[in-house]
Amino acid sequence: MKEISITISFMFLTGLLSMNVTGNPIRSILSVKESSFSSTAEPSKSAIVEYLESTGTQWIDSEIIGQSPLRVSLGFKASEIGGDKTIIGTGGGSDRLYFGMNGNRWFFGYSSYTYGTSADTQYHDFTIVWKPNGAFLEIDGNENIRIQSSRIVKYSKTIGILTRNIGGSLNYCVKGRLYYCKIYNEIDQMILDLVPIRFQNEDGEQEGAMYDQLSGKVFRNVGTGKFLYGKDVSQLDI
C-alpha cells in the first residue's frame, strides 16, 4: 500500500493544532484523539477526610484551658492498647482532667482517677464529662466510669487531644484514629467542633490536621512527625 502524507488540523478550546501524518491516516487520527483528550483532574488542595491518625508522637493543642466543668464528645479507634496513654486531657495530681488507657483498661481522671472496662481497638463514640459531683465517661451511650468529687479542677495547661498536655511531653501520646472531637463549656455551649482534614501547607505539601467548623481555624500537629489521614469525604475551601 502506498504511503500518503496529509496535513490534519484539530480545533481545541486552547487553539488550532495542525500536524503532518504519513502512513495510515485513520490510525494516526485515532492515536492523536486518544492522547489529546485523556486527562486526570487535579485533587483539591484541601478536604475533610475520614480520620486523623497519630503514630504516637503527634497531637493537637485544643487551646482550651483545663478547667471544669467541660463536656467532650469524640470518635476514636485505638491502634494499640497498653501503657499509660491519653486520648484527651491535661493535668495531674489533684487537678486531673483526662481520659485514655492505662494497661489494658479505659482510664478516667477527674481530680482523682479510676479504671473502667477493658480497652480495645474497636471504633467507639465517647462522651466525657468533667464536672463537680458528676464526672463520668460514656462509651457508645453506656456509662462506663463515674467519679464523685466536689472539687472544681483548674489546671494551667491547655487540653491536649491525642495526648495529656502537661507541658510538651510526648510520654502520653496515644496511637489511633480520631474521627471528630467536640468540646462544650460550662453552659453546654459548643466551643470547638473539630473534623479531620488534609490541606496544602506553606511548603506545598499535603498535611493532616483538625479543622474547627465554628471558627474556621486549622489546628496543626504540635508534636513530632506527621499525622496520617484517611480518604477524602468532602471538599473543603480554606
Side-chain angles (χ1 to χ4, degrees):
M1 179 178 178
K2 184 178 179 180
E3 288 190 348
I4 60 174
S5 178
I6 61 174
T7 299
I8 304 172
S9 295
F10 296 95
M11 180 61 73
F12 296 98
L13 292 176
T14 54
L16 183 68
L17 171 65
S18 297
M19 63 176 293
N20 184 267
V21 177
T22 300
N24 188 328
I26 302 301
R27 183 176 299 169
S28 298
I29 290 170
L30 292 175
S31 177
V32 171
K33 182 179 179 181
E34 290 171 357
S35 62
S36 298
F37 288 94
S38 61
S39 63
T40 302
E42 290 187 10
S44 61
K45 292 183 178 180
S46 57
I48 296 175
V49 295
E50 291 178 316
Y51 57 80
L52 194 69
E53 181 172 357
S54 172
T55 59
T57 62
Q58 302 84 34
W59 63 282
I60 297 291
D61 186 345
S62 71
E63 301 181 1
I64 295 173
I65 293 293
Q67 179 173 325
S68 62
L70 289 171
R71 178 167 70 91
V72 178
S73 62
L74 59 85
F76 181 77
K77 181 180 185 295
S79 299
E80 65 179 38
I81 57 176
D84 185 0
K85 303 299 178 183
T86 302
I87 297 169
I88 187 167
T90 187
S94 59
D95 288 322
R96 298 178 177 90
L97 284 176
Y98 54 72
F99 158 64
M101 298 175 286
N102 190 290
N104 63 346
R105 297 170 67 183
W106 301 117
F107 190 53
F108 182 70
Y110 179 78
S111 182
S112 62
Y113 64 87
T114 190
Y115 295 88
T117 56
S118 296
D120 58 58
T121 55
Q122 303 300 310
Y123 172 85
H124 296 288
D125 292 300
F126 297 96
T127 298
I128 304 108
V129 174
W130 293 305
K131 69 177 183 179
N133 299 314
F136 64 88
L137 166 71
E138 284 186 355
I139 303 177
D140 299 327
N142 301 308
E143 186 172 307
N144 193 275
I145 301 173
R146 179 172 287 269
I147 293 178
Q148 292 296 131
S149 171
S150 60
R151 183 179 176 83
I152 297 176
V153 173
K154 295 181 179 180
Y155 193 70
S156 60
K157 303 296 182 184
T158 54
I159 293 171
I161 301 172
L162 300 174
T163 195
R164 187 190 316 171
N165 182 19
I166 55 172
S169 172
L170 298 177
N171 293 340
Y172 296 104
C173 283
V174 69
K175 294 181 180 180
R177 297 175 176 181
L178 181 66
Y179 292 79
Y180 68 91
C181 180
K182 304 175 187 291
I183 300 181
Y184 302 79
N185 63 13
E186 68 278 3
I187 60 172
D188 212 33
Q189 177 185 34
M190 188 187 298
I191 54 177
L192 207 59
D193 183 9
L194 297 177
V195 293
I197 66 165
R198 63 166 178 82
F199 74 101
Q200 184 172 293
N201 63 23
E202 58 272 14
D203 297 321
E205 299 176 345
Q206 287 293 305
E207 179 181 332
M210 296 298 282
Y211 176 76
D212 181 21
Q213 297 187 106
L214 299 179
S215 67
K217 180 174 181 175
V218 175
F219 287 76
R220 302 172 70 173
N221 174 32
V222 291
T224 63
K226 296 181 179 180
F227 279 118
L228 305 177
Y229 50 84
K231 296 179 181 179
D232 288 3
V233 173
S234 61
Q235 188 170 337
L236 177 68
D237 294 323
I238 57 174

